[in-house]
Each structure stands twice: as structure tokens, then as C-alpha cells.
Amino acid sequence: MSSANGTRSEAAETTETTEVRVAPGESVQAVLATVEPNTVVRLAEGTYEGNLAVTTPGVSIVGAGSGRTVLVPGAVAPSTIPPLHDAPADVVSGIAVHATSDVTIEGLTVRGFSGAGVYVHSCSGVRLRDVESDANRVWGLYLRESGDVAVRRCRAGASQYAGVAFAFCSEADAVVSDSDCSGSAFGVFVDNSSGVRVLRNRCHGNAAGILLLHQTYEGELPGGVRDCLVADNEVSGNTLAAGGDEPDALGAAGPPISGVGIAAIGVERVTVVGNRVHDNRPSGPSVMPGALVLASSADWGGSDAVDNCFEWNVVTGNEPFDALVGTDPSGQRFRNNVVGSSQPEGLFEGQGPQGTV
């Protein structure tokens, strides 16, 4: 293990930093337990065992690249970080970041943990770049009660709930961009969070590609989904089935969902623009029988969907409906979309595959 002076890029270009290098077989957590703020912990290519806890501000964990630097389960490091929500008490997340700021995680794979791949709680200024969450049991990249957070050029797959999730981030100022999400109940999940931008992602092979949801949960914080942007995403081939009472099922304890591309439920002032939504087909029952869905969540303790905008989306080749609007369409704006079949019929008349309005 060696140290050298360096300069941290992007977050603080003029701040002098310390760099600590770690090789496979050495303890990353031992380094994190003693580092000062503004330290880059650089992990060489290889496999590292054990979960990590980050509570020091200004720390960067930088690997050699996803698929080259890999973190897998090992001895469990003691931690005072709150337990992962919506999970058994004994699960372990790969990297947990809590009550701190300006943390960067970059260039590594987190694989096979029983909780989340990366769990961010009560933080600001967290950046995830070129991070792969692979087959972490409950969540992939899970950001909760945090703001000024970014997920860029990441991959997240094969989790029980979402690949990338923002939960109860009331003023998130958050972005997930240029990422690939597959094999989970939801590719990207905006859960009672506002100010989230979902940009240029590929969401495929989930039960729902992108889900924005305002719903009240017993014992949880008040929520809402407002002022979000969903733009230029490729949302296709979401055919898995989620929901049900079996504890190990995909999306367990939730309603049955399958074949959904983009769903905005109980949202306000959300803009969905320039997305390509195609080849989404249910393989099981679904409470949302459409690929592009706008609906109220008032019956579930949420709210009506109001003042939302859908423009320049291409929604074709989905089953059973390309678009499903289950709320008052007069309170929304639909313009210049290419949509095949819709429910109610005629809502997108003039915007079908033969032309746009």
C-alpha cells in the first residue's frame, strides 16, 4: 500500500488530495476507516473481498474499471450505517455511504451481495461513474434521502427491486444518465423523489423499464414525484413479471407488473420527451397493461397525475397497448408523439405511426 500526492478531478480541481493505493488481498475497509477528507483510494485491478462503509467526506474510491476491479462478499465489516430499507435486517450491501458529502465511486464492479450493490443514505454530492452492480440481491444502486447525486455510465442488473433507485429524495437534484439497467423488477425507479433527470439510458429486460411513483408507505416519510425529466431513453424488451406474495419473487410484496416501458404514477410536472419505447410485452399479469402509462395514485394514498408533458416519444410495437392513460387527459399535454394503440382509444389520434401532431 503506498501514498502519493495527487489532484482530484471534477469535484474539486484545485484541492490538494492524498492518494492511497490498494492491491488485491489488502483491506480496503481498513484504509477507509482511517483516511482523511479529500483522499483518493485507488484500487488496482483484481478481486477484493468484503463490504465497505464510507462516512468521511471528500473520499473517492477509484478502480481500474468495471469488470476489472471487482468487490465480492467476504468478512462483514461492522457498521453504524442504518440498515437497508425493504430488506431483511441481516443483509449486507457492497458499498454503503452514509451522512457525508462529495464522495465518488468509480470504475469497479460490485457483485453478489445480499443487500444493495451501492447504498447511499443521507448524503450530498455523491457521484457514481462506471460502476457495475451485478446480481446484488435486493437493490442495485440505491440512493435514499439524498441530494445532488449523479449516476453516470453505470450498469445495474439482476436485483429483486430496481437497478437504479432514488427513494425519498425530496429535492434530489439528481441524474441517472448513459446507463444500462436490466434484469430487475424496475430498471430505473424514482420513488417519492423530485427533481430527478433520467437521460439517455437503456432499460431492457425488466418488468418495468422506468417507473416514477408517488405512493404512501406505512412508517415512511411523506413523498411526491415532481419536476422530473425523462428524456432520450431506449426502453425495450421489458417482459419479466414482478410482484406477488412470495418473498423471493421479483418485486415481492408489490402489485403484479409486467411488460411496462415507462410508467408515471401520481406525478406532477413531469416531462417525458424523446424516448423510444418498443417491444415491451407482459409475460404475466399486470396492473399496467401498457408500455407508456400515466395514472393517478390517489387510491393508494398518493395523488392525481397533473400538469405533465409527453412530447416527441415513439411508442410502437408493444402489447397489449402502446399507451395507457388512466387519469384526466385534459390536465396533461400530449404533442408530437408517434403512438400505435392506446387506451382510451383516440387519445393520440393523429399521432399514430403514420404521422405526428
Side-chain angles (χ1 to χ4, degrees), residues 228-310:
C228 294
L229 173 63
V230 180
D232 298 324
N233 299 282
E234 184 80 18
V235 186
S236 64
N238 293 288
T239 60
L240 296 183
D245 296 328
E246 293 296 326
D248 292 331
L250 201 66
I257 295 175
S258 184
V260 177
I262 300 174
I265 313 299
V267 304
E268 182 177 355
R269 297 189 302 274
V270 165
T271 297
V272 179
V273 60
N275 300 281
R276 297 161 301 283
V277 184
H278 57 92
D279 298 313
N280 300 284
R281 300 179 177 88
S283 60
S286 181
V287 297
M288 305 177 192
L292 179 65
V293 181
L294 176 66
S296 170
S297 62
D299 290 344
W300 310 332
S303 60
D304 288 331
V306 296
D307 198 19
N308 301 292
C309 177
F310 292 76

Coordinates of all heavy atoms in Angstrom, one line a residue, residues 228-310:
C228 N -39.7 16.3 -12.7 CA -38.7 15.3 -13.2 C -38.7 15.3 -14.7 O -39.6 15.7 -15.4 CB -39.0 13.9 -12.7 SG -38.8 13.7 -11.0
L229 N -37.5 14.9 -15.3 CA -37.4 14.8 -16.8 C -36.9 13.4 -17.1 O -36.0 12.9 -16.6 CB -36.3 15.9 -17.2 CG -35.9 15.8 -18.7 CD1 -37.1 16.1 -19.6 CD2 -34.7 16.8 -18.9
V230 N -37.7 12.8 -18.1 CA -37.3 11.5 -18.6 C -37.1 11.7 -20.1 O -38.1 11.9 -20.9 CB -38.5 10.5 -18.3 CG1 -38.1 9.1 -18.9 CG2 -38.7 10.4 -16.8
A231 N -35.9 11.7 -20.6 CA -35.6 12.1 -22.0 C -34.6 11.2 -22.6 O -33.6 10.8 -22.0 CB -35.1 13.5 -22.0
D232 N -34.9 10.9 -23.9 CA -33.9 10.2 -24.8 C -33.5 8.9 -24.3 O -32.4 8.4 -24.6 CB -32.7 11.1 -25.0 CG -33.1 12.4 -25.7 OD1 -34.0 12.5 -26.5 OD2 -32.5 13.5 -25.3
N233 N -34.4 8.1 -23.7 CA -34.1 6.8 -23.2 C -34.5 5.7 -24.3 O -35.5 5.9 -25.0 CB -34.8 6.5 -21.9 CG -34.3 7.5 -20.8 OD1 -33.2 7.3 -20.3 ND2 -35.1 8.5 -20.5
E234 N -33.8 4.6 -24.3 CA -34.2 3.5 -25.1 C -34.8 2.4 -24.2 O -34.1 1.9 -23.3 CB -33.0 2.9 -25.8 CG -33.3 1.7 -26.8 CD -33.9 2.1 -28.1 OE1 -33.7 3.3 -28.5 OE2 -34.5 1.3 -28.8
V235 N -36.1 2.2 -24.3 CA -36.8 1.4 -23.3 C -37.5 0.2 -24.1 O -38.5 0.5 -24.8 CB -37.9 2.2 -22.5 CG1 -38.5 1.3 -21.4 CG2 -37.2 3.4 -21.9
S236 N -37.0 -0.9 -24.0 CA -37.4 -2.0 -24.9 C -37.3 -3.4 -24.3 O -36.5 -3.6 -23.4 CB -36.6 -2.0 -26.2 OG -35.3 -2.3 -26.0
G237 N -38.1 -4.3 -24.7 CA -38.0 -5.7 -24.3 C -38.1 -5.9 -22.8 O -37.5 -6.9 -22.3
N238 N -38.9 -5.1 -22.2 CA -39.2 -5.3 -20.7 C -40.4 -6.3 -20.6 O -41.5 -6.0 -20.8 CB -39.5 -4.0 -20.1 CG -38.3 -3.1 -20.0 OD1 -37.4 -3.4 -19.3 ND2 -38.3 -2.1 -20.9
T239 N -40.0 -7.6 -20.4 CA -41.0 -8.7 -20.5 C -41.1 -9.5 -19.2 O -41.9 -10.4 -19.1 CB -40.7 -9.6 -21.6 OG1 -39.4 -10.1 -21.5 CG2 -40.7 -8.8 -23.0
L240 N -40.2 -9.2 -18.2 CA -40.3 -10.0 -17.0 C -41.6 -9.8 -16.2 O -42.3 -8.8 -16.5 CB -39.1 -9.7 -16.1 CG -37.7 -10.0 -16.6 CD1 -36.6 -9.6 -15.6 CD2 -37.6 -11.4 -17.1
A241 N -41.9 -10.6 -15.3 CA -43.1 -10.5 -14.4 C -42.6 -10.3 -13.0 O -41.8 -11.0 -12.5 CB -44.0 -11.7 -14.5
A242 N -43.2 -9.2 -12.3 CA -42.8 -8.9 -11.0 C -44.1 -8.8 -10.1 O -45.2 -8.6 -10.6 CB -42.1 -7.6 -10.9
G243 N -43.8 -8.8 -8.8 CA -44.9 -8.7 -7.8 C -45.4 -10.1 -7.3 O -45.0 -11.1 -7.8
G244 N -46.2 -10.0 -6.3 CA -46.7 -11.2 -5.7 C -46.3 -11.4 -4.2 O -45.6 -10.5 -3.7
D245 N -46.8 -12.4 -3.6 CA -46.6 -12.6 -2.1 C -45.3 -13.5 -1.8 O -44.9 -13.5 -0.6 CB -47.8 -13.3 -1.5 CG -49.0 -12.4 -1.6 OD1 -48.9 -11.2 -1.6 OD2 -50.1 -13.0 -1.8
E246 N -44.8 -14.1 -2.8 CA -43.6 -14.9 -2.5 C -42.4 -14.0 -2.1 O -42.1 -13.1 -2.9 CB -43.2 -15.8 -3.7 CG -44.2 -16.9 -4.0 CD -44.3 -17.9 -2.9 OE1 -43.3 -18.2 -2.2 OE2 -45.4 -18.4 -2.6
P247 N -41.8 -14.2 -1.0 CA -40.7 -13.3 -0.5 C -39.5 -13.2 -1.4 O -38.8 -12.2 -1.5 CB -40.3 -13.8 0.9 CG -40.8 -15.2 0.9 CD -42.0 -15.3 0.0
D248 N -39.2 -14.2 -2.2 CA -38.1 -14.2 -3.1 C -38.4 -13.8 -4.5 O -37.6 -13.8 -5.4 CB -37.4 -15.6 -3.1 CG -36.8 -15.9 -1.8 OD1 -36.4 -15.0 -1.1 OD2 -36.7 -17.2 -1.5
A249 N -39.7 -13.5 -4.7 CA -40.1 -13.1 -6.1 C -39.6 -11.7 -6.5 O -39.3 -10.9 -5.7 CB -41.7 -13.1 -6.2
L250 N -39.4 -11.6 -7.8 CA -39.0 -10.3 -8.3 C -40.1 -9.2 -7.9 O -41.3 -9.5 -8.1 CB -38.9 -10.4 -9.8 CG -38.1 -9.3 -10.6 CD1 -36.6 -9.5 -10.2 CD2 -38.3 -9.5 -12.1
G251 N -39.7 -8.1 -7.3 CA -40.7 -7.1 -6.9 C -41.6 -7.6 -5.8 O -42.8 -7.2 -5.8
A252 N -41.2 -8.5 -4.9 CA -42.1 -9.1 -4.0 C -42.9 -8.1 -3.1 O -42.3 -7.0 -2.9 CB -41.3 -10.0 -3.0
A253 N -44.1 -8.4 -2.8 CA -45.0 -7.6 -2.0 C -45.6 -6.4 -2.8 O -46.4 -5.7 -2.2 CB -44.3 -7.0 -0.7
G254 N -45.2 -6.3 -4.0 CA -45.8 -5.3 -4.9 C -46.9 -5.8 -5.7 O -47.1 -7.1 -5.8
P255 N -47.7 -5.0 -6.4 CA -48.7 -5.5 -7.3 C -48.1 -6.1 -8.6 O -46.9 -5.9 -8.9 CB -49.4 -4.2 -7.7 CG -48.4 -3.1 -7.6 CD -47.6 -3.5 -6.4
P256 N -48.8 -7.0 -9.3 CA -48.2 -7.6 -10.5 C -48.0 -6.6 -11.6 O -48.8 -5.8 -11.9 CB -49.3 -8.6 -10.9 CG -50.6 -8.1 -10.3 CD -50.2 -7.4 -9.0
I257 N -46.7 -6.6 -12.1 CA -46.3 -5.7 -13.1 C -45.5 -6.5 -14.1 O -44.6 -7.2 -13.8 CB -45.5 -4.5 -12.6 CG1 -46.3 -3.6 -11.6 CG2 -44.9 -3.7 -13.7 CD1 -45.5 -2.6 -10.9
S258 N -45.8 -6.2 -15.4 CA -45.0 -6.9 -16.5 C -45.3 -6.2 -17.8 O -46.3 -5.6 -18.0 CB -45.5 -8.4 -16.6 OG -44.7 -9.1 -17.6
G259 N -44.2 -6.1 -18.6 CA -44.3 -5.5 -19.9 C -44.5 -4.0 -20.0 O -45.0 -3.5 -21.0
V260 N -44.0 -3.3 -19.0 CA -44.2 -1.9 -18.9 C -42.9 -1.2 -19.4 O -41.8 -1.6 -19.0 CB -44.5 -1.4 -17.5 CG1 -44.6 0.1 -17.4 CG2 -45.8 -2.0 -17.0
G261 N -43.0 -0.2 -20.2 CA -41.9 0.6 -20.6 C -41.6 1.8 -19.7 O -40.6 1.7 -18.9
I262 N -42.4 2.8 -19.8 CA -42.3 4.0 -18.9 C -43.6 4.2 -18.2 O -44.7 4.3 -18.9 CB -41.9 5.3 -19.6 CG1 -40.5 5.1 -20.3 CG2 -41.9 6.5 -18.7 CD1 -40.2 6.2 -21.2
A263 N -43.6 4.2 -16.8 CA -44.9 4.5 -16.1 C -44.7 5.7 -15.2 O -43.7 5.7 -14.4 CB -45.3 3.3 -15.3
A264 N -45.6 6.6 -15.2 CA -45.6 7.8 -14.3 C -46.9 7.8 -13.5 O -48.0 8.1 -14.1 CB -45.4 9.1 -15.2
I265 N -46.8 7.5 -12.2 CA -48.0 7.2 -11.4 C -48.1 8.3 -10.3 O -47.2 8.3 -9.4 CB -48.0 5.8 -10.8 CG1 -47.6 4.8 -11.9 CG2 -49.3 5.5 -10.2 CD1 -48.6 4.7 -13.1
G266 N -49.1 9.1 -10.3 CA -49.3 10.1 -9.3 C -48.3 11.2 -9.3 O -47.9 11.8 -8.3
V267 N -47.8 11.6 -10.5 CA -46.7 12.5 -10.7 C -47.2 13.9 -11.0 O -48.3 14.1 -11.5 CB -45.7 12.1 -11.7 CG1 -45.2 10.7 -11.3 CG2 -46.3 12.0 -13.1
E268 N -46.4 14.9 -10.8 CA -46.7 16.3 -11.1 C -45.6 17.0 -11.8 O -44.4 16.9 -11.4 CB -47.1 17.0 -9.8 CG -47.5 18.5 -10.0 CD -47.9 19.1 -8.7 OE1 -47.9 18.4 -7.6 OE2 -48.2 20.3 -8.7
R269 N -45.9 17.7 -12.9 CA -44.9 18.5 -13.7 C -43.7 17.6 -14.1 O -42.6 18.0 -14.0 CB -44.4 19.7 -12.9 CG -45.5 20.7 -12.6 CD -44.9 22.0 -12.0 NE -44.2 21.7 -10.7 CZ -44.7 21.6 -9.5 NH1 -46.0 21.8 -9.3 NH2 -43.9 21.4 -8.5
V270 N -44.1 16.4 -14.6 CA -43.0 15.5 -15.2 C -43.1 15.6 -16.7 O -44.1 15.6 -17.3 CB -43.3 14.1 -14.7 CG1 -42.5 13.1 -15.5 CG2 -42.9 13.9 -13.2
T271 N -41.9 15.7 -17.3 CA -41.8 15.8 -18.8 C -41.1 14.5 -19.3 O -40.1 14.1 -18.8 CB -40.9 17.0 -19.2 OG1 -41.6 18.2 -18.8 CG2 -40.7 17.0 -20.7
V272 N -41.8 13.9 -20.2 CA -41.4 12.6 -20.8 C -41.2 13.0 -22.3 O -42.2 13.2 -23.0 CB -42.4 11.5 -20.6 CG1 -41.9 10.2 -21.3 CG2 -42.6 11.3 -19.1
V273 N -40.0 13.0 -22.8 CA -39.7 13.6 -24.1 C -38.6 12.8 -24.9 O -37.6 12.4 -24.3 CB -39.4 15.1 -24.1 CG1 -38.1 15.3 -23.2 CG2 -39.2 15.7 -25.5
G274 N -38.9 12.5 -26.1 CA -37.9 11.9 -27.0 C -37.5 10.5 -26.7 O -36.3 10.1 -27.0
N275 N -38.3 9.7 -26.0 CA -38.0 8.3 -25.7 C -38.5 7.4 -26.8 O -39.5 7.6 -27.4 CB -38.6 8.0 -24.3 CG -38.2 8.9 -23.2 OD1 -37.1 8.7 -22.7 ND2 -39.0 9.9 -22.9
R276 N -37.8 6.3 -26.9 CA -38.2 5.2 -27.8 C -38.6 4.0 -27.0 O -37.8 3.4 -26.3 CB -37.0 4.9 -28.7 CG -36.6 6.0 -29.6 CD -35.2 5.9 -30.2 NE -34.2 5.8 -29.2 CZ -33.7 6.8 -28.4 NH1 -34.2 8.0 -28.6 NH2 -32.8 6.6 -27.5
V277 N -39.9 3.7 -27.1 CA -40.5 2.6 -26.2 C -41.1 1.6 -27.1 O -42.1 1.8 -27.8 CB -41.6 3.3 -25.3 CG1 -42.1 2.2 -24.4 CG2 -41.0 4.4 -24.5
H278 N -40.5 0.4 -27.2 CA -40.9 -0.6 -28.1 C -40.6 -2.0 -27.6 O -39.8 -2.3 -26.8 CB -40.2 -0.4 -29.5 CG -38.7 -0.4 -29.4 ND1 -38.0 -1.6 -29.6 CD2 -37.8 0.6 -29.2 CE1 -36.7 -1.3 -29.5 NE2 -36.6 0.0 -29.3
D279 N -41.4 -3.0 -28.1 CA -41.2 -4.4 -27.9 C -41.3 -4.7 -26.4 O -40.7 -5.7 -25.9 CB -39.9 -4.9 -28.5 CG -39.9 -4.7 -30.0 OD1 -40.8 -5.1 -30.7 OD2 -38.9 -4.2 -30.5
N280 N -42.2 -4.0 -25.7 CA -42.5 -4.4 -24.3 C -43.7 -5.2 -24.2 O -44.8 -4.7 -24.7 CB -42.6 -3.1 -23.5 CG -41.3 -2.3 -23.5 OD1 -40.3 -2.6 -22.9 ND2 -41.4 -1.2 -24.3
R281 N -43.6 -6.4 -23.7 CA -44.8 -7.3 -23.7 C -44.8 -8.1 -22.4 O -43.8 -8.6 -21.9 CB -44.7 -8.3 -24.8 CG -44.6 -7.7 -26.2 CD -44.5 -8.7 -27.3 NE -44.5 -8.1 -28.6 CZ -43.5 -7.6 -29.3 NH1 -42.3 -7.7 -28.7 NH2 -43.6 -7.1 -30.5
P282 N -46.0 -8.2 -21.8 CA -46.1 -8.8 -20.5 C -46.0 -10.4 -20.6 O -46.4 -11.0 -21.6 CB -47.5 -8.5 -20.0 CG -48.3 -8.2 -21.2 CD -47.3 -7.6 -22.2
S283 N -45.3 -11.0 -19.6 CA -45.2 -12.4 -19.5 C -46.1 -12.9 -18.4 O -46.0 -14.1 -18.1 CB -43.8 -12.9 -19.4 OG -43.2 -12.3 -18.2
G284 N -46.8 -12.0 -17.7 CA -47.6 -12.4 -16.6 C -48.6 -11.3 -16.3 O -48.7 -10.3 -17.1
P285 N -49.5 -11.4 -15.3 CA -50.5 -10.4 -15.1 C -49.8 -9.0 -14.7 O -48.7 -9.0 -14.2 CB -51.3 -10.9 -13.9 CG -50.3 -11.9 -13.2 CD -49.5 -12.5 -14.3
S286 N -50.5 -7.9 -15.0 CA -50.0 -6.6 -14.8 C -51.1 -5.6 -14.5 O -52.2 -5.6 -15.2 CB -49.2 -6.1 -16.0 OG -48.6 -4.8 -15.8
V287 N -50.9 -4.8 -13.5 CA -51.9 -3.7 -13.2 C -51.8 -2.6 -14.2 O -52.5 -1.6 -14.1 CB -51.7 -3.2 -11.8 CG1 -52.1 -4.3 -10.8 CG2 -50.4 -2.6 -11.5
M288 N -50.7 -2.6 -15.0 CA -50.5 -1.6 -16.0 C -50.4 -2.2 -17.4 O -49.3 -2.4 -17.9 CB -49.2 -0.8 -15.7 CG -49.1 -0.2 -14.3 SD -47.5 0.6 -14.0 CE -47.6 0.8 -12.3
P289 N -51.5 -2.5 -18.1 CA -51.4 -3.1 -19.4 C -51.1 -2.2 -20.5 O -51.8 -2.1 -21.5 CB -52.8 -3.8 -19.5 CG -53.7 -2.8 -18.8 CD -52.9 -2.3 -17.6
G290 N -49.9 -1.5 -20.4 CA -49.5 -0.6 -21.4 C -48.0 -0.4 -21.3 O -47.4 -0.6 -20.3
A291 N -47.4 0.1 -22.4 CA -46.0 0.4 -22.4 C -45.6 1.8 -21.9 O -44.6 2.0 -21.3 CB -45.4 0.2 -23.8
L292 N -46.5 2.7 -22.2 CA -46.4 4.1 -21.7 C -47.6 4.4 -20.9 O -48.7 4.4 -21.4 CB -46.3 5.1 -22.9 CG -46.1 6.6 -22.5 CD1 -44.8 6.8 -21.7 CD2 -46.2 7.5 -23.7
V293 N -47.4 4.6 -19.6 CA -48.5 4.6 -18.7 C -48.5 5.9 -17.9 O -47.5 6.3 -17.3 CB -48.5 3.4 -17.7 CG1 -49.7 3.5 -16.7 CG2 -48.5 2.1 -18.4
L294 N -49.6 6.6 -17.8 CA -49.8 7.8 -16.9 C -51.1 7.5 -16.1 O -52.2 7.3 -16.7 CB -50.0 9.0 -17.8 CG -50.3 10.3 -16.9 CD1 -49.1 10.7 -16.0 CD2 -50.6 11.5 -17.9
A295 N -51.0 7.5 -14.8 CA -52.2 7.2 -14.0 C -52.1 7.9 -12.6 O -51.0 8.4 -12.2 CB -52.2 5.7 -13.8
S296 N -53.2 8.0 -11.9 CA -53.3 8.5 -10.6 C -52.8 7.5 -9.6 O -53.0 6.3 -9.8 CB -54.7 8.9 -10.3 OG -54.9 9.3 -8.9
S297 N -52.3 7.9 -8.4 CA -52.1 7.0 -7.3 C -52.9 7.4 -6.1 O -52.6 7.0 -5.0 CB -50.6 7.0 -6.9 OG -50.2 8.3 -6.5
A298 N -53.9 8.2 -6.3 CA -54.7 8.7 -5.2 C -55.4 7.5 -4.4 O -55.5 7.6 -3.2 CB -55.8 9.6 -5.7
D299 N -55.7 6.5 -5.1 CA -56.4 5.3 -4.4 C -55.4 4.6 -3.5 O -55.8 3.8 -2.7 CB -57.0 4.4 -5.4 CG -58.2 4.9 -6.1 OD1 -58.7 5.9 -5.6 OD2 -58.6 4.4 -7.2
W300 N -54.1 4.8 -3.7 CA -53.0 4.2 -2.9 C -52.4 5.1 -1.9 O -51.3 4.9 -1.4 CB -51.9 3.6 -3.8 CG -52.4 2.8 -4.9 CD1 -53.6 2.1 -5.0 CD2 -51.8 2.6 -6.2 NE1 -53.7 1.5 -6.2 CE2 -52.6 1.8 -7.0 CE3 -50.6 3.1 -6.7 CZ2 -52.3 1.4 -8.3 CZ3 -50.2 2.7 -8.0 CH2 -51.1 1.8 -8.8
G301 N -53.1 6.3 -1.6 CA -52.5 7.3 -0.7 C -51.6 8.2 -1.4 O -50.9 9.0 -0.7
G302 N -51.5 8.2 -2.7 CA -50.7 9.2 -3.4 C -51.4 10.4 -3.9 O -52.0 11.1 -3.1
S303 N -51.4 10.6 -5.2 CA -52.0 11.8 -5.7 C -52.4 11.6 -7.1 O -52.0 10.7 -7.8 CB -51.1 13.0 -5.6 OG -49.9 12.8 -6.3
D304 N -53.3 12.5 -7.6 CA -53.6 12.5 -9.1 C -52.4 13.0 -9.9 O -51.5 13.7 -9.4 CB -54.7 13.5 -9.4 CG -56.1 12.9 -8.8 OD1 -56.2 11.7 -8.8 OD2 -56.9 13.7 -8.5
A305 N -52.3 12.6 -11.1 CA -51.3 13.0 -12.0 C -51.7 14.3 -12.7 O -52.7 14.2 -13.4 CB -50.9 11.9 -13.0
V306 N -51.0 15.4 -12.6 CA -51.4 16.6 -13.1 C -50.2 17.4 -13.8 O -49.1 17.2 -13.3 CB -52.1 17.5 -12.1 CG1 -53.3 16.9 -11.5 CG2 -51.1 17.8 -10.9
D307 N -50.6 18.1 -14.8 CA -49.6 19.1 -15.4 C -48.3 18.4 -15.9 O -47.2 18.9 -15.7 CB -49.3 20.2 -14.4 CG -48.6 21.4 -15.1 OD1 -48.8 21.5 -16.3 OD2 -48.0 22.2 -14.4
N308 N -48.5 17.2 -16.6 CA -47.4 16.5 -17.1 C -47.4 16.7 -18.7 O -48.4 17.0 -19.3 CB -47.5 15.0 -16.8 CG -47.5 14.8 -15.3 OD1 -46.6 15.1 -14.6 ND2 -48.7 14.4 -14.7
C309 N -46.2 16.5 -19.2 CA -46.0 16.7 -20.6 C -45.3 15.5 -21.3 O -44.3 15.0 -20.8 CB -45.1 18.0 -20.8 SG -44.7 18.3 -22.5
F310 N -45.9 15.1 -22.4 CA -45.4 13.9 -23.2 C -45.2 14.4 -24.6 O -46.2 14.7 -25.3 CB -46.4 12.8 -23.2 CG -46.5 12.1 -21.8 CD1 -47.2 12.7 -20.8 CD2 -45.8 10.9 -21.5 CE1 -47.3 12.1 -19.5 CE2 -45.9 10.3 -20.3 CZ -46.6 10.9 -19.3

